[in-house]
Amino acid sequence: MNIKQLLSEKVSAAMVLAGLSADTNPAVSLSNRANFGDYQANGVMGAAKKLKTNPRELAAEVVKHLDLDGIAEKVELAGPGFINIHLDKNWLAQQLTNIGDDNKLGVSQPNKPQTVVVDYSAPNLAKEMHAGHLRSTIIGDAVARAIEFKGHQVIRQNHMGDWGTQFGMLLAHLSDKLAADEIAETALADLENFYREAKVRFDNEEGFADRARDYVVKLQSGDQQCAMLWQQFIDISIAHSEDIYKKLNVTLTRKDIMGESAYNHDLSNVIDELMAQNIAVEDQGAKVVFINEMANKEGDPSVFIVQKSGGGYLYATTDLSACRYRSGELNADRIIIFTDARQALHFKQVEIVARKAGFLPETVSYQHCPFGMMMGDDGKPFKTRTGGTIKLAALLDEAILRANKLIQEKNPEISKKDLFSISEKVGIGAVKFADLSKNRTSDYIFNWKTMLSFEGATAPYLQYAYSRIQSIFSKVKEDTAETLNTAILQIIEPQEKALALKLLQLEDVIDAVVSECTPNLLCNYLYELSSLYMSFYEACPILKDGINIEIQQSRLLLCQLISKTLKQGLDILGIDVMERM
Ligand code: ARG
């Protein structure tokens, strides 16, 4: 259900009947003030300006032809030529009833679903996931879920960094540990530490660097024993990431992993093709693409190295191969990649070269979705007090601990079991919502206090709104609940109308999230929906003694729809709700 679209079509038809051309923009939007109607069509002004006619008269002509019978209760002409549309309450009630019966809550499904590759999370396995990986993981997951909800096919791709020269040092260190009878799980229990130890040896210990290089060569040439060591390392690293995904309520699984190593066999082909097509050239021993399309002010082309002079391949080479795999093998119509904004140049280069080489047909869209950084309270990149990176696992544990305290303060009587599960949902939800609700491309300040507040746009606020609705239903007598199936929804009070309008905007919001990859729009929508619910709850009694049964049932139906929408919306964000809080 998309009211804006419906009204746009109606106003367009009226514009044509009033003599305007069919491509005139009706400019329908939500009104920002209730006395200007629910929606406005402002397109007449622009059209009149072009035609040099009186806008007010033209608008009157459009209104004369505007057929909103049964949809609007009033259409008014205002100011120089605004058309204000007041929707009919019965019509709104009917639309709500329709979406209430639909498991997609009125979000229409595409005639031709797309295949969408979503590349997100993608940690480097040589290191433990740190706070910086949070954003790619949760933004990517929310967008993937939104696209699925819209009815497209999503193929998740976790492009993990599981290959490259740093593995030589790690494998050399691991093999020494195993030789000293340590088991791999113990040796790799703390990856950060393991990595640091290896680096210290690499920098200081005589002969170690040579051994590390030796391991790289062995790994790349497919040495059996080395491959086994590498596999052990990768498996344990992946298990660390999986713990995090589980805690974060993120949908990534092992089968979504398509790490850099998976493209290994294809990298020499990529280079051969680029050379054969004269796209790459030899330059000081390396293979390079000079990208004229991205030349600087002086006219120097942008330099994109695809093979190092020693023969080694790069991040760039792998991404070119990934383009071909995703469009050719996975049949993607659209590829979306989530990384921080510092990689923007890389993906621009990849796209240009891949298109030129025919790895990425014009019909496939390629979208790098950058995001800003997480900052500490001091406005500097988020770090520990001593300047180290913050481990993601530790951050999430702290979130749960803080939520635990908070819930206990609010509800000292709570059982241990409830406390445990609620703290997890609130703590993780708070971290996720705080991040997802920000404009994706800006940096944001990570602040425990605001994200765990029960006021404002936070997960606890939304989760609380949801559990409040559930508590109403827990008090409703069984017989009332049963008759709800045949009850009739009515829109009477202004608070009910505001809710109806909001509930019917879900499709508009989902569509925007899907096309712009901006979960913050959904966060904002759910926050507004919850706030409208709170006002409705204050103004429109439901369980009060003496309340008319039909009104009560209608309001319960409205509550049902709100709670379904909140639950579904939060689920797209990967945030759990609970019956009680
Ligand atoms: N592993 C990379 C990093 O941590 C992100 C990979 C993103 N995806 C890609 N196709 N390059 O920066």
Side-chain angles (χ1 to χ4, degrees):
M1 174 75 237
N2 193 327
I3 299 185
K4 197 165 116 184
Q5 203 177 319
L6 174 73
L7 295 178
S8 298
E9 284 162 17
K10 296 279 184 189
V11 176
S12 274
M15 284 178 143
V16 169
L17 290 173
L20 293 170
S21 72
D23 61 356
T24 312
N25 181 2
V28 171
S29 63
L30 270 167
S31 303
N32 38 23
R33 270 195 271 160
N35 54 346
F36 291 166
D38 305 312
Y39 281 83
Q40 300 182 306
N42 302 339
V44 167
M45 259 90 62
K49 201 169 175 187
K50 259 201 217 142
L51 295 173
K52 300 203 171 69
T53 68
N54 180 320
R56 179 98 191 175
E57 281 165 21
L58 184 59
E61 197 57 24
V62 172
V63 170
K64 209 162 82 192
H65 290 102
L66 184 56
D67 176 16
L68 290 176
D69 268 1
I71 299 177
E73 63 184 17
K74 194 163 74 177
V75 176
E76 301 167 320
L77 199 57
F82 299 106
I83 300 171
N84 295 344
I85 302 168
H86 300 256
L87 293 169
D88 182 87
K89 290 185 178 134
N90 292 329
W91 183 78
L92 285 172
Q94 187 54 51
Q95 304 314 306
L96 287 183
T97 307
N98 296 347
I99 69 170
D101 292 337
D102 172 13
N103 63 358
K104 292 285 175 180
L105 295 164
V107 175
S108 69
Q109 304 291 291
N111 297 332
K112 249 183 77 191
Q114 289 190 324
T115 300
V116 186
V117 164
V118 186
D119 172 336
Y120 66 105
S121 192
N124 289 330
L125 294 185
K127 289 188 184 173
E128 189 154 333
M129 283 177 87
H130 55 82
H133 288 113
L134 178 71
R135 301 214 71 193
S136 175
T137 306
I138 64 180
I139 300 173
D141 200 55
V143 171
R145 292 186 197 224
I147 297 174
E148 268 169 348
F149 183 68
K150 181 65 194 175
H152 297 292
Q153 191 209 348
V154 170
I155 304 179
R156 291 166 173 75
Q157 291 281 280
N158 194 346
H159 194 93
M160 285 181 161
D162 61 356
W163 201 250
T165 46
Q166 75 273 43
F167 283 89
M169 151 185 117
L170 298 170
L171 295 186
H173 187 46
L174 180 60
S175 95
D176 288 350
K177 291 226 168 198
L178 298 185
D181 277 347
E182 238 185 276
I183 60 165
E185 279 78 5
T186 329
L188 295 169
D190 186 334
L191 276 179
E192 207 63 34
N193 209 10
F194 182 88
Y195 183 84
R196 207 173 308 121
E197 283 171 11
K199 182 84 172 78
V200 168
R201 292 184 70 189
F202 187 88
D203 291 340
N204 304 309
E205 189 179 312
E206 216 180 285
F208 186 81
D210 289 330
R211 279 183 56 219
R213 278 183 213 110
D214 209 40
Y215 265 102
V216 176
V217 176
K218 277 208 243 163
L219 184 63
Q220 285 175 345
S221 62
D223 174 276
Q224 277 283 316
Q225 212 203 334
C226 190
M228 269 166 55
L229 204 56
W230 173 82
Q231 192 63 55
Q232 233 173 340
F233 183 92
I234 295 300
D235 281 343
I236 294 171
S237 280
I238 290 178
H240 283 276
S241 307
E242 282 178 328
D243 288 344
I244 300 261
Y245 294 154
K246 196 158 162 244
K247 207 169 247 176
L248 269 179
N249 189 16
V250 155
T251 53
L252 283 169
T253 65
R254 219 165 250 244
K255 72 169 195 355
D256 303 318
I257 297 174
M258 183 74 187
E260 292 180 16
S261 65
Y263 296 99
N264 239 337
H265 67 281
D266 188 42
L267 301 182
S268 61
N269 303 335
V270 166
I271 300 300
D272 288 349
E273 284 194 39
L274 292 177
M275 294 300 283
Q277 296 189 57
N278 287 323
I279 294 171
V281 293
E282 192 127 4
D283 188 70
Q284 300 167 50
K287 309 261 163 55
V288 177
V289 183
F290 293 105
I291 306 178
N292 290 314
E293 292 86 336
M294 293 173 66
N296 63 12
K297 275 195 229 106
E298 281 73 45
D300 307 323
S302 163
V303 180
F304 189 55
I305 306 177
V306 290
Q307 188 173 17
K308 290 193 271 193
S309 58
Y313 301 109
L314 302 104
Y315 188 52
T317 332
T318 314
D319 261 322
L320 288 172
S321 176
C323 282
R324 184 157 62 172
Y325 170 73
R326 292 167 182 182
S327 63
E329 305 284 320
L330 300 180
N331 288 314
D333 297 301
R334 181 178 176 200
I335 299 166
I336 312 172
I337 302 165
F338 292 91
T339 78
D340 75 45
R342 288 171 299 185
Q343 295 194 35
L345 172 68
H346 165 79
F347 287 108
K348 221 183 253 168
Q349 293 174 318
V350 169
E351 178 177 5
I352 291 182
V353 174
R355 295 231 188 264
K356 234 184 236 184
F359 298 163
L360 195 64
E362 287 302 330
T363 49
V364 179
S365 92
Y366 192 74
Q367 209 176 348
H368 172 234
C369 293
F371 48 80
M373 287 212 277
M374 238 163 102
M375 305 295 214
D377 276 331
D378 55 1
K380 296 204 186 107
F382 196 52
K383 291 262 156 81
T384 59
R385 223 165 273 155
T386 53
T389 49
I390 295 179
K391 286 185 187 182
L392 194 45
L395 182 91
L396 299 181
D397 287 341
E398 180 166 356
I400 296 169
L401 202 68
R402 284 177 184 258
N404 188 299
K405 271 206 194 123
L406 184 77
I407 305 290
Q408 237 172 337
E409 271 166 33
K410 292 243 169 214
N411 182 0
E413 251 84 85
I414 193 166
S415 77
K416 267 234 164 66
K417 190 165 148 258
D418 278 356
L419 178 63
F420 183 75
S421 96
I422 293 176
S423 307
E424 199 156 77
K425 290 175 180 176
V426 171
I428 299 296
V431 170
K432 289 180 84 170
F433 194 89
D435 189 297
L436 293 170
S437 59
K438 305 295 184 310
N439 183 335
R440 171 162 55 72
T441 50
S442 358
D443 296 342
Y444 81 93
I445 292 184
F446 186 91
N447 184 297
W448 288 117
K449 243 209 173 118
T450 43
M451 73 175 73
L452 280 162
S453 164
F454 275 89
E455 273 152 49
T458 66
Y461 177 78
L462 297 184
Q463 289 166 322
Y464 179 62
Y466 178 83
S467 64
R468 249 172 98 164
I469 303 178
Q470 299 316 300
S471 91
I472 296 177
F473 281 102
S474 71
K475 287 180 204 135
V476 169
K477 294 190 197 77
E478 232 170 81
D479 49 336
T480 315
E482 267 167 30
T483 53
L484 273 186
N485 286 333
T486 51
I488 292 171
L489 201 151
Q490 311 170 54
I491 298 296
I492 299 166
E493 302 299 332
Q495 290 83 0
E496 294 173 323
K497 187 173 184 196
L499 273 169
L501 286 167
K502 188 56 76 185
L503 286 164
L504 292 168
Q505 280 160 37
L506 182 65
E507 168 159 336
D508 219 9
V509 173
I510 295 288
D511 286 354
V513 174
V514 166
S515 70
E516 310 299 322
C517 305
T518 43
N520 62 310
L521 300 178
L522 179 58
C523 293
N524 197 24
Y525 170 82
L526 295 172
Y527 170 60
E528 287 170 358
L529 180 64
S530 307
S531 305
L532 289 174
Y533 166 72
M534 299 293 195
S535 320
F536 157 79
Y537 184 79
E538 298 301 322
C540 305
I542 302 173
L543 299 180
K544 219 165 95 181
D545 279 342
I547 194 117
N548 171 305
I549 180 76
E550 275 161 22
I551 299 267
Q552 179 181 68
Q553 290 190 325
S554 166
R555 288 181 182 163
L556 284 171
L557 283 176
L558 198 52
C559 284
Q560 229 171 27
L561 195 51
I562 298 163
S563 88
K564 264 194 209 171
T565 307
L566 273 178
K567 185 173 181 174
Q568 178 61 65
L570 286 169
D571 184 68
I572 290 173
L573 301 174
I575 296 175
D576 282 331
V577 289
M578 49 241 129
E579 305 302 302
R580 302 171 264 145
M581 224 170 143

